[in-house]
């Protein structure tokens, strides 16, 4: 059971990386591509947490969520600053 | 003579709840997995088709978020079941931490979904106006 969940989480992580690269290649916009990767990583983290009652697992998931929130906030702020500036771009 | 009779022995109760927790948590994990696979496939289709990237990606993220929220609800249900048999303070502490993480995530995901949906609706409302505004120009171009 645990092995299956680990394998599924790994698969989701790989799908997230592929999605991120494809989205970045298609749009050249990190603001669009990064949230995709972070969503997939969070899905993988949540899957790992299923049935894993260890402090290590909990801390890992909290770290992923914290990174996700900070990165999403930073990218959103950057996007706002870019579109707000007179010569700004959406990247 | 001591008459000892239990309707449901504690060990059986623990076992039954353990099985139930496994079933509910597996269902939650399965929902998250199916959502992620679905989002990946839709995402690849959107990239290959090559039109309306940003809008398409947001729609896919919105649906993935819904799957995550549903999976989290199942996992929270598993946590609630687990509280029925949590013998040590360490286990109760871990359970509380996981339940807190899942509840906070559920809240933030719900907010994100509402935000994304409002943005998509705003875009959808803006499009007909833009089309209506561009209509006469296009018609003139077609005539000229």
């Amino acid at each position: 059971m645990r092995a299956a969940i680990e394998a599924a989480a790994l698969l989701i992580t790989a799908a997230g990386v592929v999605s991120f690269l494809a989205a970045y290649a298609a749009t050249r916009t990190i603001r669009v591509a990064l949230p995709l990767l972070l969503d997939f990583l969070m899905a993988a983290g949540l899957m790992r947490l299923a049935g894993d009652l260890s402090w290590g697992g909990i801390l890992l998931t909290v770290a992923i969520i914290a990174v996700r929130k900070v990165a999403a906030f930073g990218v959103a702020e950057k996007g706002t600053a870019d579109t707000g500036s007179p010569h700004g771009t959406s990247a | 003579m001591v008459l000892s009779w239990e309707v449901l022995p504690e060990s059986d109760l623990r076992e039954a709840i353990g099985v139930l927790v496994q079933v509910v948590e597996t269902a939650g994990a399965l929902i998250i997995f199916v959502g992620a696979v679905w989002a990946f496939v839709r995402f690849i289709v959107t990239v290959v088709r090559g039109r309306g990237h940003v809008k398409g990606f947001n729609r896919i993220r919105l649906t993935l978020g819904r799957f995550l929220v549903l999976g989290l609800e199942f996992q929270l249900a598993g946590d609630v079941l687990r509280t029925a048999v949590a013998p040590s303070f360490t286990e109760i502490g871990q359970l509380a931490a996981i339940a807190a993480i899942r509840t906070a995530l559920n809240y933030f995901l719900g907010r994100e979904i509402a935000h994304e949906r409002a943005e998509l609706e705003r875009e959808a409302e803006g499009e007909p106006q833009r089309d209506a505004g561009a209509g006469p120009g296009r018609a003139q171009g077609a005539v000229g």
Side-chain angles (χ1 to χ4, degrees), chain B residues 23-144:
Chain B
V23 169
V24 172
E25 286 210 331
T26 306
L30 205 64
I31 288 169
I32 293 173
F33 183 70
V34 168
V37 169
W38 180 91
F40 182 65
V41 171
R42 282 291 309 273
F43 170 79
I44 295 297
V45 169
T46 307
V47 168
V48 169
R49 280 191 184 156
R51 274 194 305 156
H53 275 142
V54 176
K55 207 169 158 189
F57 293 167
N58 281 343
R59 268 184 211 285
I60 293 167
R61 283 189 56 219
L62 192 65
T63 315
L64 176 60
R66 284 192 189 122
F67 272 102
L68 291 186
V69 167
L70 184 62
L72 269 173
E73 299 275 3
F74 270 84
Q75 292 188 342
L76 270 171
D79 290 342
V80 172
L81 268 174
R82 251 202 210 113
T83 55
V85 279
S88 70
F89 269 108
T90 312
E91 274 192 35
I92 292 170
Q94 288 171 337
L95 209 54
I98 288 183
I101 291 170
R102 286 175 178 162
T103 307
L105 257 181
N106 216 349
Y107 172 74
F108 284 120
L109 274 174
R111 266 183 51 178
E112 270 181 33
I113 286 174
H115 178 76
E116 294 271 348
R117 193 190 296 150
E119 218 162 78
L120 283 175
E121 277 172 8
R122 219 179 308 130
E123 277 173 21
E125 278 171 15
E127 260 174 26
Q129 289 170 7
R130 240 181 289 148
D131 289 347
R138 236 187 283 157
Q140 276 171 8
V143 170

Side-chain angles (χ1 to χ4, degrees), chain A residues 6-81:
Chain A
E6 275 296 323
L10 201 65
L11 211 64
I12 292 176
T13 306
V17 173
V18 171
S19 302
F20 169 74
L21 292 175
Y24 187 70
T27 62
R28 298 270 163 209
T29 314
I30 199 88
R31 197 157 64 95
V32 174
L34 190 65
L36 269 169
L37 171 68
L38 295 173
D39 277 354
F40 276 98
L41 288 185
M42 193 168 69
L46 287 177
M47 281 203 64
R48 277 200 192 96
L49 210 56
D52 180 21
L53 269 183
S54 70
W55 287 116
I58 295 169
L59 286 177
L60 188 71
T61 309
V62 168
I64 289 173
I65 293 164
V67 167
R68 182 183 183 275
K69 282 281 151 203
V70 169
F73 181 74
V75 168
E77 282 293 301
K78 188 176 183 298
T80 312

